[in-house]
Amino acid sequence: MFDEILTFFESKTKGERMARRSDFSPRDFVKYLPYIGLLEFKYNEEGEMIDAFCRLNGSQTIMIYGDLTGTWLSEMKSQEAFYRVKQRHKIMSAKRQGLAITSQILSKYKEHIVVKALYVPLSEDNELIDRLMLVVDYDTPNNAQDPDF
């Protein structure tokens, strides 16, 4: 899945710029929509990213992070996710490229779930990252069908 999405954006950008929101339509990723989230960033006058709005949260991302659609990350009860997004935003801004992250979480049954996330920064002006496509997948112990987070 990650390879297909990266190849798609590489064909649009030719490696010469960051991807734009206008480079794709949800129809381009129909089979992956359950795994995709879209964030829109808010900046202060100094150009620092100060918040992120969850525009879209696919059903598989909801299983991991909860339903954040229509939520500002700064308003979440736990600030861990917002902190991680801010840190990764800084890295993407400095490197002008996306990230692939692997981490482990525990299910409510204390099973280790390996979460893989692809961060695709989107920039209309090729300078400021205004949006983020987050693609999330996971592996469960013994390939269980429902990890029951």
Side-chain angles (χ1 to χ4, degrees), residues 39-56:
L39 298 177
E40 294 177 3
F41 294 119
K42 179 179 177 182
Y43 291 86
N44 63 17
E45 292 176 2
E46 290 79 36
E48 176 188 7
M49 191 274 281
I50 58 171
D51 212 341
F53 184 77
C54 184
R55 178 70 55 201
L56 170 75

Side-chain angles (χ1 to χ4, degrees), residues 67-79:
D67 191 1
L68 303 175
T69 304
T71 302
W72 288 98
L73 296 189
S74 65
E75 296 174 356
M76 293 174 54
K77 187 175 182 177
S78 170
Q79 290 295 294

Side-chain angles (χ1 to χ4, degrees), residues 9-87:
F9 282 113
E10 180 67 23
S11 74
K12 297 290 186 177
T13 67
K14 308 290 189 231
E16 297 173 1
R17 62 174 172 83
M18 285 190 277
R20 297 180 185 125
R21 172 61 184 89
S22 57
D23 284 334
F24 70 96
S25 161
R27 289 183 299 257
D28 295 322
F29 303 115
V30 170
K31 66 182 177 181
Y32 300 130
L33 285 178
Y35 302 91
I36 292 176
L38 285 176
L39 298 177
E40 294 177 3
F41 294 119
K42 179 179 177 182
Y43 291 86
N44 63 17
E45 292 176 2
E46 290 79 36
E48 176 188 7
M49 191 274 281
I50 58 171
D51 212 341
F53 184 77
C54 184
R55 178 70 55 201
L56 170 75
N57 204 12
S59 59
Q60 294 297 313
T61 61
I62 289 171
M63 287 181 65
I64 297 169
Y65 302 115
D67 191 1
L68 303 175
T69 304
T71 302
W72 288 98
L73 296 189
S74 65
E75 296 174 356
M76 293 174 54
K77 187 175 182 177
S78 170
Q79 290 295 294
E80 285 183 45
F82 183 44
Y83 175 78
R84 284 192 306 270
V85 168
K86 283 182 79 168
Q87 293 304 326

